[in-house]
Amino acid sequence: MKKAAEVNLQRDAAALLLRLSAGGFLLPHGLGKLFGWFGGPGLGGFVQELAQFGLPATPAVALVLAVVQSLFGLTVLLGAWTRISAIVAAGFIATTVWIALPHGWFWMGTGVEYPLMWLAALLSVALLGGGRFSIDGLRAANLDGRS
């Protein structure tokens, strides 16, 4: 039988891996929308993408969405305010799921499969929290050390 400390370590390691994946994939997509990095469209191209999907396509809307994706990708990655960050990021991705629904299941046809997987990952991060290996975990350890 596994000891509680071993189970907790495995849970914290799993939370770290999931957080690094979810935030680490979300962040560069947001930066690509903001700055054109990593082959992204930049804000001008993102405005055009929004218009193609029939969404409000103004520079202000594109900027807010790109900042949300970047900021909450970073906070999920670092494990800062993890639960709320993951919920906000999941809300962003839920919009992508909604947009992809009419295109079917498979992502190769711009379907819902890939964004739905990331929605599940972000909701899992929200349920797990940051774990020990996160900024949230460091804050909790500091608070415990003070008591």
Side-chain angles (χ1 to χ4, degrees), residues 60-72:
V61 169
L63 178 62
V64 167
L65 292 175
V67 166
V68 164
Q69 188 174 15
S70 300
L71 178 64
F72 289 99

Side-chain angles (χ1 to χ4, degrees), residues 37-83:
W37 296 352
F38 313 111
L43 279 176
F46 187 38
V47 169
Q48 292 174 356
E49 287 179 7
L50 292 173
Q52 289 173 346
F53 291 117
L55 298 172
T58 65
V61 169
L63 178 62
V64 167
L65 292 175
V67 166
V68 164
Q69 188 174 15
S70 300
L71 178 64
F72 289 99
L74 179 63
T75 55
V76 167
L77 176 74
L78 297 175
W81 306 283
T82 306
R83 292 180 193 275

Side-chain angles (χ1 to χ4, degrees), residues 29-126:
H29 284 270
L31 294 174
K33 290 174 177 90
L34 271 176
F35 304 115
W37 296 352
F38 313 111
L43 279 176
F46 187 38
V47 169
Q48 292 174 356
E49 287 179 7
L50 292 173
Q52 289 173 346
F53 291 117
L55 298 172
T58 65
V61 169
L63 178 62
V64 167
L65 292 175
V67 166
V68 164
Q69 188 174 15
S70 300
L71 178 64
F72 289 99
L74 179 63
T75 55
V76 167
L77 176 74
L78 297 175
W81 306 283
T82 306
R83 292 180 193 275
I84 190 69
S85 296
I87 289 169
V88 171
F92 180 89
I93 294 298
T95 303
T96 306
V97 169
W98 176 72
I99 290 168
L101 271 173
H103 301 282
W105 176 255
F106 290 106
W107 182 245
M108 284 96 43
T110 65
V112 73
E113 168 191 34
Y114 189 68
L116 192 59
M117 185 220 25
W118 285 112
L119 177 61
L122 287 162
L123 291 174
S124 296
V125 169

